[in-house]
Each structure stands twice: as C-alpha cells, then as structure tokens.
C-alpha cells in the first residue's frame, strides 16, 4: 500500500477548511479584543477573500466534477457534487454570520460620533431632494440599461460588478432590464442633517429613482445582485526572455478572462422583493440555485475600506494604534554589518525600509557589478522597482525574474516589466510551466571586494505597502554558503531545460520537489531519533497545509509519538485523532491584527534544523512552483527564530485551535499570550532604546566636537 492510499479519506478538504478560515476572520468582528473600526475592516476583508475563492477555487472543483463524471475527492472520498453542496452550506452560514455582525456594528456608528447609515424611505422630503440632486449629478451620467426580451444572458456584466435587475411591465410586454453599476461609482452618498453625517447606500438611491428612469411602464419587482466569474483560466507562457509575443499573449488572456462563467450570484434581500421574481431571474439566466446566495446586508462589503480609512484618521482610538517597525539602527551601513554577521528581520515589527536600505546601499556602492532579484507582487509606484531602474542606469547589470502569472497582479507586473526594460534591465519570465514564487535578491561585488556578494532570502513579497500588515521573515547575509547557492539558483532560472527537479544546493533548497523531499526527510529523521531516544519534535508554521505526502509523513511520525506543533493560518487538511493513542499534535490558526504570512520549518533532534521558506506545504508549492527555503546557520539567528517559534507556540489570544471534530475553538481560560502583541511591544521597546542611544550618541559627539574646536582655537570656552 502506497503512502498516499494508506491515508485516503483521512484528511479534510482544502476548500471547506479555507471557509472555516474565512469564518475565523468574520468572528473577529465579534471579538472584544478588536477595536470597533477593525471589526468592520475584518468583515470587509472576509468579503475580499471570498471573491477570489469563488473566482478560482470553486471553478476548479466544478471542473473536477465535470472531468471526472462526478468522481471523488481523494482527500475526503466525497463526491465533488457533495463537496460543492457542503461549500454552499458553509458559505451560506458565513454570509449569515457576516450580515448579522455588520448589521449590529453599523448601528453603533452614531454612538462613536461617526455618523449614521440611513434608508431613502426614512429621509424627510428636504433630504430626499438633496439625495436626488446628488443622484442626477454624480450617478445618473454613468448608468446604462439593457432590456432583455428573448435572448437572456449576462455576458456583458464584468466580474464583481453589481447590477440592478428590474421587472418592468409595459403595454406591449413584461421584460427584465439590467442596469450595471460601474465600480468607480462610490457606494455611499454622503448627506448632512442637523450637522450630523448620514450615509445613504448608492443602490438604495438608484432604486428610488427607477420610476423616473423607466417611465414607460410599471415597475413590478427589483433585485440588487452581483456576479463572480470563473477566473481560473490557466496560461502557459513561452519562456522567452523579453519576448513581445509572450507579453501580447498575456494581454489577450487578461482581456478574455473577465468573460468566464458565473460561479456565484449574490442577491441582497430587500423587504419588497418577490421570491418568485428571484427564482424567475435565476432560471432565465441559467444560474444554478447552488451558486446563489441571498444576503441580508449590503453586497460586497469591500466598499467599507475607504470609509474605515477615513474614519480611522478622525477617530484613531477606534482602531489599532499606529505602528511602525524598527528601522536600521547601526552606526555601520548594512553592508558593513553583513560582512561579519547574518541578519534576520521579521516584518512588520522590523521595518521593510531595511530592505530598501539594503538595496540602496547596493545601488550606491561603486563596487556593485550585478543585482539579481525575483519579483512576484510589488506595490504601485514601487520604491523597489525605482531602485532597480536606478541601478541599471548607473551601469550595474540588473536581472529581474518577473512572474507575469501572479494571479490578479498580472497587469501591474506587465507595467513593471515595461519600466524595467526601458531602464535597461534584463527581464526573465522564469520557467515555462511553473510560477516563480521565490523571494530573493542577490548583490554581486567585484573580485577585489572583501566579500563576493550579499543575499536576501524572504518569505514575503517586495511590497512596501503589504509589508506593513503582513508578518514575514527576511534573512540577509554575505556568507559564501548563501551567495554561491543564489548564484547557481539564478543561473537555473535563466536557462531552459528540465525543471521537474531543481538543482541541489548546500544551505538552501528549492522546489519543484526538493523542498517537499527536505521536509519529509527531516520529519522521518526526527521520527527515527524519537524512536531511539524518546526525544525530538517538529514545529511548522505555514499559511496552508494540504500536501498529501507531507501530511502522511506527519501521520507516520505522530503514530510513534513525535510531538508536532503546527501553526496553519488557512487551509489545513490534516485531521486529529488519526494516529492512535500516542498522537501528540497541536494545530492552531493565528488570526489577528496582521496577516500571518511567514513560513518556518523546524526539526528538533540532537542536531536541530531550522528553515524559513517562501513555500506553503501545498502540492502546488512543492511540485508546480519554483520556491526557496533557507536554512538558518548562525547561532544568534537560530536563537532568534527559536524565540519566535516559542512565542507562536504559546499564542492563545489570536490562536484558534483545531479539535478532533474539525472545528476551531478558543480557550475559555486564556493565559493572554498574543504573539503579535508580544512582538509589537518588543519592537516599541527596542525602538525607544535605540532612540535613546542615538540621542546619547549625538550628545557625546557634539561634546567631542566642541572639545576639538576648543583645543584647536585655544579659547577658554565653558563646555
């Protein structure tokens, strides 16, 4: 019996597990530790998360259902139709919970002096007149309406667009009229009554002006709805460096992607909407009832993001306090420090500005001859891209591996590619059949330098905006062990050839396949050590744990008693209670102020092995992507990452814990250990200490300067 078939059916489904994660995000809106405006923000984040889920994951399952003739999911042995039914039920419950919390929270706005959400019917005549005037000026010019008589389809509606469907009865016939609402129209209309701010939903205002728009007939029913489409179309790009055809193919793909089939129809429950019309609408447009969700709140809560941002500026006490991570504090430059030390940073507790400084020092150093970097996602108007362009213009050879297939960042990455090419950078599009998801930067110095080069290897993207809210690790070094590995790694990326297995290195490991091999081999090593000495353990921190072979290795080791501490933010396919009486597995999901994004693999025997990685323990990352994992080699940073592991292992505030029934729970008697808050407080304390040291250093240097001037001038000045 193979290791995969040995545990067939003994795992959770990835997508059902992900919906539990989104439920955990929603639950933060009911957590007394969370500030008011952040509660609203978490509901908006849950909406954003779900959009991608129904544009990518659900279409994939629907395809599996069709391709396998409703076969079975190998992890759960459920039929795909059963899985899709469970997904609908789970998400429907999430929507109900989300709507409940939103409706509760939004009524509290006035209590905090922010304003009030109002309905059109409740406005006085004077305020209705003001609202109608805003409709005429700011909304009406952007609205169009399409009437359907015989050919019913929704192809013209783009992904994520809201629309209003109106059943209009005229003397000639009864028809459905569809009015798309472009996303650039603001979802709320601001009004002021008695000096107090009021917010009217834009769709509510439109509905109450429909009689003027459709004055040729009688309005019988109205639906507010929103579509999500299948955006899971894949594209294989020819690996042809700088190829104009490659870029043209991607542009064509992006233009057609928005026409995918409907995967989710959200309908807002309105007091007067007739259920018969909803059913008639669904039938006419051939949407499955299992893809329909009726929601008792405004659709697409992401409209709250700009409002929350604005309110947070005016009412800062209603949000998490502003936090800025520790910046580079050494009297030496980073390069001087890295000549004799490795450096491990944890964003956002350490500022991403330190990577920008690392890159800027490389750009400004006349001994730099080359910079090589991978790019997956970057910020708009990226400072990283500006520094790479500056380096190229200075004559430094800049090679950038741009992943054009970074989902939903393709357009920005096309723009980045154009900018870098115009600046003279060499662009590599990576491997033909797999995404390059690695996060690494290599700086090469000339032969006469005291070091061959500098490296940075991380778990997160080079995005100065998301780095403020994503927890990631970043390793910096000038060690030849890392530098030589990275030279070979970039050489591998720049050449065609077999990419089914990545090359072997000394202090790093890269997928495809070799990261999975390393993890399983280390789990087996710990298992053997534990069987021999009764000691040993494994710690893993990842965003997702879905790879069957890795989970099978965990099960095998847990059967003999190896302790596992797993911190898995999102999907976790591993089940508890599978490994017998000796099982000692603790699984938690840390969901808090920041998005947990760092990946740590730690294997403990008499020779502990600790790694950071860009890869989650998912089959796609293990087999179908180019990823990097770096071993922590020096004692100082081994101790530092060990402390990080210890803090996460004790988190019982932001940590939700998995039970044997597959549910996540919080400890009733918490010891008040929060990893994120611990790191925030330590960062604030360190920043104050460093500021005090800088201030002392400044006073000392000023006195020394005065003393020198006194000695030179010979004047008897009082110091």
């Amino acid at each position: 019996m193979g290791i995969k078939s040995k545990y067939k059916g003994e795992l959770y489904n990835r997508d059902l597990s992900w919906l539990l994660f989104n439920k955990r995000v929603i639950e933060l809106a009911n957590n007394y530790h969370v500030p008011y405006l952040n509660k609203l923000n978490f509901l908006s984040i849950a909406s954003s998360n779900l959009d991608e889920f129904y544009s990518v994951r659900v279409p994939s399952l629907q395809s599996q259902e069709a391709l396998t003739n409703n076969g079975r999911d190998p992890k759960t042995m459920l039929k795909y139709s059963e899985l899709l039914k469970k997904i609908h039920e789970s998400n429907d419950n999430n929507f109900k919970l989300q709507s409940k919390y939103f409706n509760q929270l939004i009524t509290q706005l006035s209590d905090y002096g922010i304003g009030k959400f109002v309905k059109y019917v409740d406005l006085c005549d004077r305020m209705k007149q003001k609202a109608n005037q805003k409709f005429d000026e700011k909304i009406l010019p952007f609205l169009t309406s399409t009437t359907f008589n015989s050919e019913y389809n929704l192809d013209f509606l783009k992904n994520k667009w809201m629309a209003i469907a109106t059943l209009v009865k005229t003397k000639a016939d009864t028809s459905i009229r569809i009015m798309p609402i472009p996303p650039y129209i603001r979802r709320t209309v601001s009004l002021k009554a008695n000096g107090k701010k009021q917010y009217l939903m834009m769709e509510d205002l439109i509905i109450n002006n429909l009689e003027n728009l459709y004055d040729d007939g009688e309005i019988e029913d109205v639906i507010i709805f929103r579509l999500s489409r299948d955006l899971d179309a894949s594209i294989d790009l020819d690996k042809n460096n700088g190829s104009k055809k490659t870029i043209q193919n991607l542009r064509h793909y992006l233009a057609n992607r928005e026409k995918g089939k409907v995967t989710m129809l959200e309908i807002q429950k309105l007091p007067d909407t007739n259920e018969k019309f909803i059913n008639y609408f669904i039938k006419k447009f051939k949407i499955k009832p299992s893809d329909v969700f009726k929601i008792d709140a405004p659709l697409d809560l992401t409209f709250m993001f700009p409002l929350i941002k604005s309110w947070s500026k005016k009412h800062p006490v209603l949000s998490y306090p502003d936090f800025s991570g520790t910046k580079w504090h050494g009297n030496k430059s980073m390069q001087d420090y890295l000549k004799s030390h490795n450096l491990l940073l944890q964003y956002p507790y350490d500022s991403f500005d330190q990577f920008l400084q690392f890159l800027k020092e490389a750009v400004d150093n006349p001994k730099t001859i080359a910079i090589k970097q991978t790019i997956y996602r970057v910020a708009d108007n990226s400072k990283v891209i500006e520094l790479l362009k500056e380096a190229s213009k200075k004559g430094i050879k800049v090679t950038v591996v741009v992943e054009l297939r970074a989902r939903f960042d393709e357009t920005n990455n096309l723009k980045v590619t154009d900018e870098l090419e115009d600046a003279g950078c060499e662009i590599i599009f990576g491997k033909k059949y797999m995404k390059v998801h690695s996060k690494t930067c290599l700086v090469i110095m000339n032969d006469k330098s005291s070091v061959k080069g500098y490296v940075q290897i991380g778990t997160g993207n080079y995005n100065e905006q998301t780095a403020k809210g994503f927890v990631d690790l970043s390793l910096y070094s000038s060690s030849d062990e890392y530098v030589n590995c990275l030279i070979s790694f970039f050489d591998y990326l720049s050449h065609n050839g077999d990419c089914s297995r990545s090359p072997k290195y000394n202090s790093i490991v890269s997928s495809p396949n070799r990261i999975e091999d390393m993890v399983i081999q280390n789990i087996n090593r710990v298992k053997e050590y534990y069987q021999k000495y009764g000691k040993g353990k494994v710690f893993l921190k990842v965003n997702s744990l879905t790879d069957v072979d890795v989970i099978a290795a965990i099960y095998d080791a847990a059967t003999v008693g190896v302790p596992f501490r797993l911190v898995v933010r999102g999907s976790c396919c591993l089940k508890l209670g599978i490994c017998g009486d000796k099982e000692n597995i603790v699984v938690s999901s840390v969901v808090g102020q920041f998005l947990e994004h760092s990946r740590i693999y730690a294997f403990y025997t008499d020779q502990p092995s600790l790694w950071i990685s860009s890869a989650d323990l998912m089959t796609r990352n293990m087999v179908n992507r180019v990823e990097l994992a770096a071993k922590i080699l020096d004692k100082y940073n081994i101790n530092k990452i060990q402390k990080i592991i210890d803090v996460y292992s004790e988190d019982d505030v932001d940590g939700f814990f998995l039970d044997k029934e597959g549910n996540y729970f919080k400890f009733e008697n918490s010891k008040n250990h929060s990893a994120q808050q611990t790191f925030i407080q330590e960062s604030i304390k360190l920043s104050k200490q460093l500021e005090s040291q800088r201030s002392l250093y400044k006073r000392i240097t000023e006195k020394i300067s005065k003393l020198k001037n006194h000695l030179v001038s010979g004047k008897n000045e009082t110091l």
Side-chain angles (χ1 to χ4, degrees), residues 19 122 165 200 211 217 258 261 312 320 338 396 408 428 430 435 454 483 506 516 537 568 577 618-619 658 675-676:
L19 285 170
D122 296 328
L200 175 66
E211 288 186 357
E258 295 291 321
K261 69 176 182 178
S312 294
Y320 288 118
L338 293 174
I396 298 170
F408 307 131
I428 297 174
K435 293 180 180 179
Y454 301 91
V483 173
N506 293 325
E516 182 184 53
K537 60 183 179 179
V568 185
M618 306 176 73
T619 302
L658 180 67
Q676 294 189 359

Side-chain angles (χ1 to χ4, degrees), residues 8 11 14 31 177 209 219 244 352 488 678 703-704:
K8 223 169 194 179
L11 297 97
R14 163 186 170 180
N31 187 322
R177 301 184 186 181
N209 276 271
I219 295 175
K244 294 190 182 300
F352 184 78
S488 298
T678 296
K703 285 192 174 184
I704 291 173

Side-chain angles (χ1 to χ4, degrees), residues 58 84-85 89 132 290-291 301 375 432 502 611 691:
V58 170
L84 288 165
K85 182 181 178 183
E89 292 171 354
N132 291 339
S290 59
D291 298 330
L301 296 183
I375 293 292
K432 180 177 180 181
S502 59
W611 301 71
E691 185 59 37

Side-chain angles (χ1 to χ4, degrees), residues 603-630:
F603 311 97
Y604 296 92
T605 62
D606 57 335
Q607 296 180 326
S609 180
L610 284 70
W611 301 71
I612 65 170
S613 178
S614 63
D616 286 311
L617 296 176
M618 306 176 73
T619 302
R620 73 176 190 189
N621 300 81
M622 302 289 98
V623 178
N624 299 320
R625 288 186 175 186
V626 179
E627 304 271 13
L628 268 186

Side-chain angles (χ1 to χ4, degrees), residues 522 525-527 529-530 535-540 562-563 600-610 638 641-643 645-646 649:
N522 271 292
R525 181 174 64 86
V526 176
K527 175 187 171 186
Y529 185 80
Y530 188 88
K535 295 186 293 185
K537 60 183 179 179
V538 175
F539 174 91
L540 300 171
V562 174
I600 303 171
Y601 316 144
F603 311 97
Y604 296 92
T605 62
D606 57 335
Q607 296 180 326
S609 180
L610 284 70
I638 286 174
I641 202 167
Q642 183 57 56
K643 182 181 177 182
I645 290 170
D646 291 341
S649 297

